[in-house]
Amino acid sequence: MQASWSSVAGWSEDDPAAAWPALLASCSKLARQPNWKPVCDAASALGSAPGSQQARRYFEQHFVPWQLLGSGPSAEGLVTGYYEPLIRGSRSRSGQYAWPIHGVPADMLTIELGDVYPELKSLRLRGRIVGNKILPYWTREQVQERGAQLPAPVLLWADDPIDLFFLQVQGSGRVQLPDGKTVRIGYADQNGHPYQSIGRWLVAKGELSLDQASMDGIKRWARDNPDRLREMLNANPSYVFFRELPVSDAGPVGALSVPLSEGRSIAIDPRYVPLGAPVFLATTHPLSTRPLSRLVLAQDTGSAIKGAVRADFFWGFGEKAGREAGRMRQQGRMWLLLPKGMQPPRR
């Protein structure tokens, strides 16, 4: 729904210049598209660090806000958080480092449905060939059961299965080796099975209450119930495969293939929000009513991010970011900012 700038909650309180580096990162990809080239050229002309008022005028002159609506239609949706974790690992397997971090399996097929059905361009299937049939790829439980029989490289070995699980949920992270060096890994592919929340599984089993089912709460339950660890992990059939990335001080690379910006990047459902687009997000801080309203860039996606009014807020790297991300499950509203004359995706 097209909106006015005055109706965008929190727009006048935010500093849009703080999102400028993220905007320029998006434009490094979007400028190739005719609809985006003029606004990206205009952004480039303002340099790398315009003032707050200059940045605000730029957006108000070049963009139109469209309020995103969910089913109902509802103006509010779920806003969660994610971050780039640091876990401990090794290049070689040992008693301490026993949990494999896999690369993409050689026998996994990726079928792009949009190649045959254009209306399904955002959907793909993963499978494996058995005889003359294509079957679904292995679930998490089956991947782990196959062990060394899985035709996938082992990039590294982690020392903690829960830390590795949450690294898979986040989609990227850093691994600290025994010699102190750090390796960065990022999402390469996924086994095609839908993501299922282990927090919701624990709540449904009566093991945790809803307010206890945070990342910290799940980790405490796992430490207290080591004999049920695999049962809990296998409740999520989705399994993420990684690739090793160059080490840098920039954020992890998202689905747009640009580094994410702490506090200014979100993951979205690309069926409703074009990758790279600016979005104004109006939500609250974790476990709080304190407003968190700011301009962000849609630079990532996630298997659990489904729907128009749905965002995953990138908190950055490390333990503090992890605490905020693990507690974040807020309601929020979203306005998609598109160049004048451009229409939102139709569903």
Side-chain angles (χ1 to χ4, degrees):
M1 178 177 70
Q2 187 170 339
S4 64
W5 284 103
S6 61
S7 69
V8 179
W11 170 248
S12 60
E13 285 77 49
D14 187 38
D15 178 6
W20 203 258
L23 172 69
L24 295 181
S26 279
C27 275
S28 70
K29 302 297 181 181
L30 293 178
R32 304 167 190 172
Q33 302 175 26
N35 284 327
W36 290 93
K37 188 177 188 309
V39 297
C40 286
D41 287 347
S44 179
L46 292 178
S48 60
S52 298
Q53 293 307 314
Q54 194 176 26
R56 190 179 306 282
R57 284 194 300 271
Y58 162 81
F59 282 102
E60 292 178 352
Q61 289 172 2
H62 293 280
F63 289 85
V64 173
W66 296 81
Q67 184 165 16
L68 296 171
L69 300 175
S71 58
S74 173
E76 289 202 340
L78 178 64
V79 182
T80 50
Y82 72 121
Y83 75 112
E84 185 183 21
L86 175 68
I87 71 170
R88 293 183 299 273
S90 174
R91 292 283 186 186
S92 56
R93 184 176 188 175
S94 67
Q96 178 180 357
Y97 301 103
W99 297 85
I101 302 175
H102 285 295
V104 179
D107 66 340
M108 188 173 75
L109 300 175
T110 300
I111 303 167
E112 299 288 347
L113 296 180
D115 292 345
V116 180
Y117 304 103
E119 67 274 17
L120 301 178
K121 65 179 180 179
S122 63
L123 301 178
R124 58 182 60 88
L125 297 175
R126 277 83 167 186
R128 54 193 174 89
I129 296 177
V130 178
N132 60 354
K133 295 182 179 180
I134 297 178
L135 300 181
Y137 203 71
W138 306 111
T139 64
R140 170 181 295 274
E141 182 175 9
Q142 291 168 331
V143 164
Q144 294 173 338
E145 286 176 347
R146 291 183 67 76
Q149 293 182 331
L150 187 76
V154 178
L155 306 180
L156 298 153
W157 296 88
D159 76 337
D160 186 279
I162 290 292
D163 285 345
L164 174 56
F165 178 88
F166 279 110
L167 187 146
Q168 289 192 319
V169 172
Q170 304 307 314
S172 63
R174 305 182 198 184
V175 182
Q176 188 172 49
L177 303 179
D179 63 4
K181 293 180 180 178
T182 301
V183 177
R184 174 172 259 171
I185 57 175
Y187 175 95
D189 213 330
Q190 184 257 359
N191 65 345
H193 291 271
Y195 171 82
Q196 301 291 336
S197 168
I198 59 173
R200 290 180 183 174
W201 181 84
L202 288 167
V203 171
K205 292 286 184 180
E207 299 292 331
L208 295 177
S209 63
L210 188 59
D211 62 327
Q212 292 173 329
S214 65
M215 183 167 60
D216 287 341
I218 293 170
K219 286 183 176 182
R220 282 194 296 272
W221 186 91
R223 287 194 297 268
D224 294 341
N225 297 272
D227 57 323
R228 297 186 64 190
L229 176 62
R230 284 191 180 273
E231 179 190 3
M232 178 186 70
L233 297 181
N234 291 339
N236 175 27
S238 173
Y239 194 92
V240 170
F241 304 104
F242 291 98
R243 59 192 173 105
E244 191 168 334
L245 301 172
V247 176
S248 75
D249 293 329
V253 174
L256 187 63
S257 297
V258 302
L260 304 179
S261 296
E262 177 181 328
R264 292 289 173 173
S265 295
I266 60 171
I268 47 77
D269 186 339
R271 295 177 299 170
Y272 302 94
V273 178
L275 261 177
V279 174
F280 197 83
L281 176 67
T283 183
T284 53
H285 283 263
L287 304 179
S288 166
T289 57
R290 184 161 58 97
L292 176 60
S293 299
R294 62 179 61 176
L295 180 64
V296 292
L297 278 295
Q299 296 175 327
D300 206 0
T301 60
S303 59
I305 312 304
K306 302 296 183 187
V309 193
R310 179 71 174 93
D312 211 13
F313 183 87
F314 179 65
W315 282 97
F317 167 72
E319 186 176 347
K320 181 179 178 182
R323 285 197 301 271
E324 296 297 319
R327 300 184 304 165
M328 190 168 193
R329 192 175 179 83
Q330 315 298 110
Q331 289 295 296
R333 291 175 287 167
M334 297 166 61
W335 287 263
L336 170 62
L337 309 186
L338 291 178
K340 289 183 176 179
M342 186 175 175
Q343 298 289 312
R346 294 188 178 276
R347 287 294 300 166

